[in-house]
């Protein structure tokens, strides 16, 4: 093999080739090699700048390089990063208390820290087994993670089928269909698991009446109501949690993405002593669970959201985005779905992959979450001017995507 390179070392292409020779290809070929970020902006290894409207998939709540997160994590890593759950730390206890406070959880509630969303969902599944029942009801379009337990709740067949058989007794019902839910939930149901907004399905919002009906139906049969807030939680919808708008009190919620602002932490929160008492000493655990480093990150995320008034900001930015896209009055745009800063721009044809590619060339990161939907889950600190930059560029991006789709069709024999 020749030692000469066509491309300079450490260029995008060279690193992506090395990636494909060293990582299991589950993510396909990454779109870019990124190097650093600041606020809602990231830079690739060629120095090209992008407005990051993906936000690490709703993870980078405070954006990149936020001084509060940098300071909290730097201080904590210099003190101690990890200690095991034979011991606890001040930051772990404080984070649990703060999570319970913002969730409005009653006395006797509790937190189990996990390391990811899927693991938080695993905790919820184990919790549900402690009811003595095995039935689980989830929604069509649902995404609850990729570990084998959580995967059974995830709806997409292409994710599940290569790994069958998964845990049994899972029923998927049409989302937002109260009658279907009533019909599926019985005295054999351990838990109903629902997202307040289905992020991976393209920001499809639960009707508050649907969540209230889910509360009523589960209470009637003695099943748990688990709300998966992995994507919607921690301010993403403009409330601390997506369920809060409906006024219900769930039995448990699962958290992850935004909680650590980029550090890997998840949580299962159980509401009230009856539910919290279902898991007893020795029945669950995890080595990294809520270690001081990730707990310090979580505390700085929560305190910064409060200090910077980000819940109101998210609400305002979400409304602004909807209004700005509507004002384009673009014939190819059907509308904007979602809540807060969990949004999808819905197109009238399957152009989202082309739009996302054109956006990347033009310096915007967005996610083609469905063939006809572009998901925007930017950092909660994104500004009006930053959102306006993208909305102003959108007609040209759609035009580019349309042109390349037409050209591709003409070249197909
Ligand atoms: C992302 C997501 C998960 C899985 O989280 P991971 O950290 O990827 O395991 C679970 N539920 C919902 C609603 C999610 O959006």
């Amino acid at each position: 093999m020749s030692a000469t390179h066509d491309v300079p070392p450490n260029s995008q292409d060279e690193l992506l080739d090395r990636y494909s020779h060293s990582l299991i290809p589950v993510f396909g070929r990454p779109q870019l090699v990124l190097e650093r970020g600041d606020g809602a902006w990231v830079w690739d290894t060629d120095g090209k700048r992008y407005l990051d409207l993906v936000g690490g998939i709703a993870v980078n709540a405070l954006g990149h390089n936020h001084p509060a997160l940098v300071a909290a994590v730097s201080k904590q890593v210099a003190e101690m990063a990890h200690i095991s759950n034979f011991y606890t730390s001040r930051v772990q206890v404080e984070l649990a208390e703060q999570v319970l406070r913002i969730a409005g959880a009653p006395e006797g509630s509790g937190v189990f820290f996990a390391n990811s969303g899927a693991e938080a969902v695993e905790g919820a599944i184990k919790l549900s087994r402690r009811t003595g029942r095995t039935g689980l009801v989830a929604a069509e379009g649902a995404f609850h993670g990729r570990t084998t337990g959580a995967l059974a709740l995830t709806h997409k067949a292409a994710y599940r089928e290569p790994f069958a058989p998964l845990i049994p007794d899972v029923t998927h019902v049409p989302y937002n269909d109260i009658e279907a839910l009533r019909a599926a939930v019985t005295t054999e149901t351990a838990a109903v698991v629902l997202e307040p907004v289905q992020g991976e399905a393209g920001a499809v919002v639960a009707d508050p009446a649907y969540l209230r009906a889910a509360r009523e139906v589960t209470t009637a049969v003695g099943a748990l109501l688990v709300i998966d807030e992995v994507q919607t939680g921690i301010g993403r919808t403009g409330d601390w949690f997506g369920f809060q708008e409906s006024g219900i009190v769930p039995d448990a919620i699962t958290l992850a993405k935004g909680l650590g602002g980029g550090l890997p932490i998840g949580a299962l929160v159980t509401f009230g002593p009856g539910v919290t008492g279902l898991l007893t000493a020795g029945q669950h655990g995890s080595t990294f669970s809520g270690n001081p480093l990730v707990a310090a990150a979580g505390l700085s995320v929560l305190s910064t959201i409060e200090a910077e008034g980000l819940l109101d900001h998210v609400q305002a930015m979400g409304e602004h985005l909807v209004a700005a896209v509507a004002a384009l009055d673009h014939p190819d745009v059907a509308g904007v779905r979602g809540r807060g800063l969990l949004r999808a721009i819905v197109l009238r044809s399957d152009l989202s992959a082309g739009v996302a590619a054109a956006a990347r060339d033009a310096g915007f990161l967005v996610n083609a979450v469905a063939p006809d939907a572009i998901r925007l889950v930017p950092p909660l600190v994104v500004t009006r001017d930053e959102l306006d930059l993208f909305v102003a560029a959108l007609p040209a991006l759609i035009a580019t995507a349309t042109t390349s789709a037409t050209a591709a069709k003409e070249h197909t024999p």
Side-chain angles (χ1 to χ4, degrees), residues 116-118 143-145 195 228 230-231 257:
S116 66
F143 184 84
H144 297 292
E195 296 159 90
D228 184 348
V230 168
Q231 190 154 166
K257 292 190 167 85

Side-chain angles (χ1 to χ4, degrees), residues 387-404:
L387 291 173
D388 285 347
L389 280 177
F390 176 70
V391 175
L394 188 58
L397 303 176
I398 293 173
T400 305
T402 307
T403 309
S404 36

Side-chain angles (χ1 to χ4, degrees), residues 23-204:
L23 284 103
I24 295 175
V26 289
F27 298 108
R29 189 174 168 92
Q31 299 161 26
L32 291 170
V33 185
L34 296 176
E35 194 155 64
R36 69 190 172 89
D38 195 58
W41 297 88
V42 292
W43 284 260
D44 70 17
T45 49
D46 295 334
K48 180 172 171 177
R49 187 175 86 140
Y50 305 84
L51 179 61
D52 181 8
L53 301 173
V54 174
I57 315 187
V59 165
N60 298 101
L62 306 184
H64 301 274
N65 196 25
H66 192 288
L69 184 65
V70 171
V73 171
S74 304
K75 176 172 178 286
Q76 189 61 52
V77 78
E79 286 174 356
M80 59 182 187
H82 179 81
I83 52 176
S84 94
N85 285 295
F86 293 135
Y87 318 102
T88 188
S89 60
R90 186 186 305 275
V91 280
Q92 184 186 63
V93 175
E94 278 177 11
L95 181 60
E97 289 170 349
Q98 292 300 326
V99 166
L100 293 175
R101 177 180 63 82
I102 62 176
E107 193 58 34
S109 298
V111 178
F112 172 79
F113 288 116
N115 310 294
S116 66
E119 257 188 90
V121 172
E122 293 296 325
I125 293 171
K126 283 181 73 176
L127 179 80
S128 79
R129 287 285 173 95
R130 298 288 302 142
T131 61
R133 308 176 184 181
T134 55
L136 293 166
V137 177
E140 293 176 5
F143 184 84
H144 297 292
R146 306 282 207 135
T147 54
T148 53
L151 188 56
L153 296 172
T154 291
H155 182 241
K156 198 174 181 174
Y159 292 170
R160 276 188 291 127
E161 281 169 0
F163 306 99
L166 299 170
I167 59 166
D169 303 341
V170 178
T171 308
H172 287 97
V173 293
Y175 194 54
N176 268 330
D177 181 336
I178 294 176
E179 286 320 306
L181 189 64
R182 274 189 211 290
V185 176
T186 70
T187 51
E188 280 161 30
T189 305
V192 171
V193 184
L194 293 171
E195 296 159 90
V197 181
Q198 291 187 327
E200 301 304 302
V204 179

Side-chain angles (χ1 to χ4, degrees), residues 331-347:
D332 296 335
V333 175
V336 178
R337 274 197 304 251
R339 283 178 60 196
L341 286 174
L342 169 43
R343 294 288 180 176
I345 298 175
V346 183
L347 304 173

